[in-house]
């Protein structure tokens, strides 16, 4: 595919310049039917401006982190990266290419049949790609998904245990699509010796998975590593891995590369240790700390799965996250995506971009991307204005309440309750709206009928929530939720999430007589 392709059939910019936003669907349409076929569209035939959370009808969202939270030069680096900014994940997509099959360590939560669980969820196997196939796939996605802003390499093994494939892929993609940010994830064992190369390739976001900073604990997570031409086990393996991770982290920070730390939370193994991990990585300059729940299932064939080690409940995860607040900034919107994930966080369009489904010579149109970027800028500004106005009207600050939101993107409440497979959780106190995480459960509506079992699971997932904000809901689930103490609110359908949460809080407090109208 070579250098950035040019399409002689692209219509003048003026034709593309009119973008229509449908408040009823939360989606954007580009006006100008003369667009090159398939150029703009998404999978549903529209340019969905999702809200980081959703896809194909699902929705979700993440950690804090907007322009006001950080220096301008850092915001420049993260503002379009869906993992490094919760705000960005409403609007921008990432894709992973599975070019890195080998690994140099063994984790007790990993079965090599599946993708690296440091950065993806086990249970699914990626389509392994050569760097050239990876470029082809990236071009195909960029041509259809204008939200695409990041290419990540996150397995299915370790990106830096496969350095030639990883860097060859980055080289090809950077030449063809220079607007994409490059990102990689690693266990850190082979990191230190690659920091210069990482910098040379303009990879400015690196994730290191660090689940222990004490080898005594690490030895219960990593049974062996392969280092310096030999296999190490037990305490020695954990000590070497720890030293190499710390050295890699320090070198990345010294090189000006943003570092995110992923830690797998394993109850009874490292839960009491998580605050120490957070403290150490903050002191060494990590930008973000993502505490992810262990996914453990005997069917995955992992050591932890087979030995009965359980993962944390959502409440346990939130409690550990809350306990480290004030240390390294937390990421709370991770979706534990696959090593070949494509789309907004929480959505996975990977199957629709399998090699045998993509066209031979996809064409990326930079003008479409430019239109999209302009739309996002406007949406961001409008959303902030709406939030500011709602804050001024809310009547003060007071008791924090937890609210769940059904969204399929764009930072709006735009999803039917029955279609939601995940809910964003926000804590609102009249002045601030804090994103606290994502709760998942199978969706309620199946083929036009409600599933009582799903509703029960959703109610369980929404433990502690006072209200759920949705675009629509049927009478039956509304009553069942009410009986469980969860108020259903559909008055803010298609409005911005934060402004609506503030308005709802004001209404509740006013009704309770805690603030005056
Ligand atoms: Fe991929 Fe990871 Fe880069 Fe993101 S994912 S390599 S930093 S572009 Fe993101 Fe997915 Fe969580 Fe990873 S939601 S698993 S944190
Ligand atoms: Fe598996 Fe990833 Fe651990 Fe390697 S680093 S053993 S691929 S989880």
């Amino acid at each position: 595919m070579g250098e950035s392709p040019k399409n002689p059939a692209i219509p003048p910019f003026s034709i593309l310049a009119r973008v229509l936003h449908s408040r009823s669907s939360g989606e954007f349409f580009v006006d100008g039917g003369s667009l090159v076929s398939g150029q703009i569209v998404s999978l549903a035939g529209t340019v969905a401006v999702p809200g980081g959370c959703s896809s194909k009808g699902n929705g979700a969202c993440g950690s804090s982190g907007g322009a006001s939270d950080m220096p301008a030069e850092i915001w420049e680096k993260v503002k379009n990266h869906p993992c490094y900014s919760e705000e960005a994940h409403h609007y921008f997509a990432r894709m992973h290419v599975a070019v890195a099959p080998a690994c140099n360590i063994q984790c007790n939560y990993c079965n090599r049949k599946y993708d690296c669980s440091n950065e993806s969820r086990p249970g699914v196997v990626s389509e392994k790609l050569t760097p050239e196939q990876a470029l082809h796939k990236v071009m195909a996605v960029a041509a259809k998904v204008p939200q695409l802003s990041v290419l990540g390499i996150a397995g299915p093994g370790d990106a830096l245990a496969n350095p030639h494939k990883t860097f060859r892929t980055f080289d090809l993609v950077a030449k063809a699509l220079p607007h994409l940010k490059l990102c990689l994830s690693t266990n850190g064992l082979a990191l230190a010796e690659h920091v210069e190369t990482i910098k040379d390739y303009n990879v400015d976001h690196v994730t290191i998975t660090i689940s222990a900073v004490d080898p005594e604990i690490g030895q219960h997570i990593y049974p062996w590593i392969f280092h310096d031409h030999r296999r190490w086990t037990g305490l020695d393996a954990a000590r070497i891995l720890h030293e190499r991770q710390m050295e890699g982290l320090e070198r990345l920070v010294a090189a000006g590369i943003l570092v995110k730390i992923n830690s797998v939370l394993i109850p009874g193994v490292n839960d009491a240790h998580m605050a120490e991990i957070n403290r150490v990585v903050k002191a060494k300059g990590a930008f973000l700390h993502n505490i992810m729940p262990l996914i453990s299932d005997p069917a995955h064939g992992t050591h932890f799965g087979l030995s009965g080690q359980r993962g944390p409940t959502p409440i346990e995860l939130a409690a550990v996250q809350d306990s480290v607040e004030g240390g390294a900034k937390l990421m709370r919107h991770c979706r534990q995506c696959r090593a070949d994930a494509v789309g907004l966080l929480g959505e996975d369009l990977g199957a629709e971009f399998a090699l045998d489904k993509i066209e031979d010579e996809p064409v990326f149109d930079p003008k479409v991307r430019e239109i999209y970027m302009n739309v996002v800028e406007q949406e961001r500004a409008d959303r902030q204005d709406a939030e500011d106005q709602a804050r001024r009207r809310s009547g003060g600050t007071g008791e924090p309440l937890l609210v769940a939101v059904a969204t399929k993107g764009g930072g709006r409440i735009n999803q039917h309750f029955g279609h939601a497979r995940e809910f964003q959780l926000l804590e609102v106190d009249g002045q601030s709206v804090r994103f606290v995480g994502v709760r998942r459960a199978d969706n309620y509506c199946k083929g036009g009928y409600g599933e009582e079992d799903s509703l029960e699971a959703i109610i369980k997932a929404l433990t502690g929530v006072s209200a759920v904000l949705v675009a629509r809901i049927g009478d039956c689930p509304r009553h069942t939720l009410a009986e469980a103490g969860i108020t259903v609110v559909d008055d803010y359908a298609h409005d911005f999430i934060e402004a609506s949460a503030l308005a709802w809080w004001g209404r509740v407090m006013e009704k309770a007589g805690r603030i005056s109208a």
Side-chain angles (χ1 to χ4, degrees):
M1 266 146 288
E3 302 290 313
S4 288
K6 298 202 173 356
N7 186 337
I10 290 174
F13 185 73
S14 57
I15 296 178
L16 297 169
R18 197 163 153 237
V19 180
L20 306 177
H21 175 215
S22 162
R23 287 174 65 87
S24 61
S25 68
E27 292 171 323
F28 289 82
F29 304 85
V30 175
D31 185 18
S34 56
L35 281 174
V36 179
S37 171
Q39 190 75 26
I40 237 165
V41 198
S42 60
L43 316 160
T46 62
V47 179
V49 171
C53 307
S54 108
S55 65
K56 296 205 285 193
N58 318 330
C61 271
S63 85
S64 66
S68 57
D69 297 342
M70 61 192 79
E73 68 276 12
I74 302 290
W75 176 239
E76 251 333 282
K77 280 191 178 182
V78 305
K79 70 178 187 184
N80 298 345
H81 195 307
C83 303
Y84 281 69
S85 159
E86 183 269 323
E87 201 266 0
H89 103 287
H90 290 276
Y91 305 110
F92 293 102
R94 52 74 185 104
M95 74 175 289
H96 291 162
V97 284
V99 295
C103 192
N104 46 10
I105 72 172
Q106 179 63 56
C107 303
N108 277 333
Y109 43 77
C110 178
N111 176 350
R112 299 300 173 78
K113 262 170 66 185
Y114 303 124
D115 289 345
C116 172
S117 2
N118 277 336
E119 185 73 0
S120 58
R121 77 175 183 271
V124 282
V125 187
S126 303
E127 179 181 53
K128 312 285 191 305
L129 303 175
T130 65
E132 289 71 23
Q133 288 171 322
L135 173 62
H136 185 189
K137 189 164 174 170
V138 177
M139 291 300 295
V141 174
K144 303 257 179 166
V145 181
Q147 298 98 324
L148 182 66
S149 63
V150 176
L151 169 70
I153 297 182
D158 184 78
L160 296 177
N162 305 263
H164 301 297
K165 289 176 181 162
T166 292
F167 291 116
R168 167 84 178 141
T169 303
F170 282 148
D171 189 35
L172 292 171
V173 171
K175 284 177 179 150
L177 296 165
H179 71 283
L180 291 186
K181 289 190 176 302
L182 305 177
C183 189
L184 70 80
S185 166
T186 177
N187 59 45
L189 183 63
L191 176 58
E193 63 263 35
H194 287 110
V195 170
E196 283 309 308
T197 316
I198 288 169
K199 196 170 171 57
D200 289 347
Y201 280 85
N202 287 322
V203 178
D204 53 10
H205 299 78
V206 172
T207 296
I208 317 171
T209 299
I210 299 177
S211 298
V213 291
D214 177 350
E216 293 285 347
I217 294 171
Q219 66 178 329
H220 300 296
I221 302 171
Y222 310 105
W224 60 260
I225 66 169
F226 194 84
H227 173 66
D228 207 11
H229 310 292
R230 59 164 283 205
R231 184 176 294 237
W232 303 77
T233 59
L235 199 53
D236 285 340
R239 179 183 48 77
I240 294 167
L241 180 62
H242 167 61
E243 289 169 359
R244 301 283 295 160
Q245 288 174 333
M246 294 301 109
E247 187 183 347
L249 168 57
E250 286 166 8
R251 286 199 195 184
L252 285 172
V253 171
I257 294 164
L258 283 188
V259 187
K260 172 167 70 65
I261 304 301
N262 280 3
S263 298
V264 180
L265 179 63
I266 310 161
V269 175
N270 67 356
D271 43 355
H273 183 52
M274 209 48 78
E276 178 66 0
I277 298 174
N278 184 274
R279 188 190 65 73
V280 168
V281 302
K282 181 184 184 188
K284 290 188 182 293
F287 174 71
L288 208 53
H289 188 196
N290 173 25
I291 301 174
M292 326 158 73
L294 169 72
I295 299 174
S296 184
D297 185 328
H300 298 151
T302 64
H303 172 77
F304 281 153
L306 294 171
S307 62
Q309 171 65 56
R310 70 173 180 90
T313 64
I315 304 289
E316 288 171 333
L317 173 66
V320 172
Q321 289 171 329
D322 289 347
S323 75
V324 305
E325 275 295 357
K329 187 178 174 64
L330 290 184
M331 172 187 189
R332 290 179 183 245
H333 62 286
C334 177
R335 300 299 199 286
Q336 292 176 279
C337 18
R338 294 170 49 141
D340 60 356
V342 175
L344 297 164
L345 304 191
E347 83 179 340
D348 191 355
L349 312 176
E352 299 173 48
F353 289 98
L355 282 183
D356 61 355
K357 293 196 178 143
I358 58 182
E359 51 188 305
D360 290 343
E361 294 193 21
V363 177
F364 167 69
D365 179 354
K367 290 193 173 63
V368 174
R369 167 83 178 171
E370 193 179 333
I371 291 173
Y372 182 75
M373 296 302 285
N374 290 337
V375 170
V376 169
E377 283 313 302
Q378 189 59 54
E379 279 291 291
R380 278 175 151 159
D382 291 350
R383 190 167 154 212
Q384 188 61 54
D385 278 355
E387 184 177 341
D388 291 345
Q389 283 179 33
R391 192 174 287 119
R392 283 195 291 275
R393 281 196 299 258
S394 84
T397 186
E399 180 191 351
L401 296 176
L402 207 54
V403 60
V405 176
T407 174
K408 57 180 181 172
R412 293 175 184 266
I413 302 161
N414 53 12
Q415 191 168 41
H416 193 300
F417 174 81
H419 299 163
R421 290 193 178 138
E422 57 181 42
F423 294 87
Q424 294 179 26
L425 257 63
L426 307 172
E427 188 183 81
V428 53
D429 67 3
Q431 286 302 294
S432 68
V433 182
R434 188 173 73 100
F435 184 94
V436 294
V438 176
R439 300 257 181 97
R440 293 173 175 152
D442 203 3
N443 60 305
Y444 169 66
C445 188
K446 305 272 167 50
Y449 296 96
E451 284 274 350
E452 290 315 307
D453 288 353
S454 299
L455 189 53
E456 208 174 294
I458 292 168
I459 288 170
K460 198 169 164 205
L462 297 182
T463 301
V465 164
S466 300
V468 56
L469 275 49
V470 300
R472 277 186 68 195
I473 189 168
D475 288 342
C476 183
R478 182 193 292 271
H479 291 141
T480 310
L481 283 158
E483 280 167 14
I486 301 170
T487 307
V488 174
V489 183
D490 55 5
D491 314 24
Y492 304 106
H494 307 292
D495 286 345
F496 289 116
I497 292 170
E498 292 81 2
S500 302
L502 286 162
W504 165 79
W505 183 92
R507 209 167 74 186
V508 171
M509 290 299 155
E510 196 183 316
K511 206 168 165 189
R514 305 216 193 140
I515 59 172
S516 51

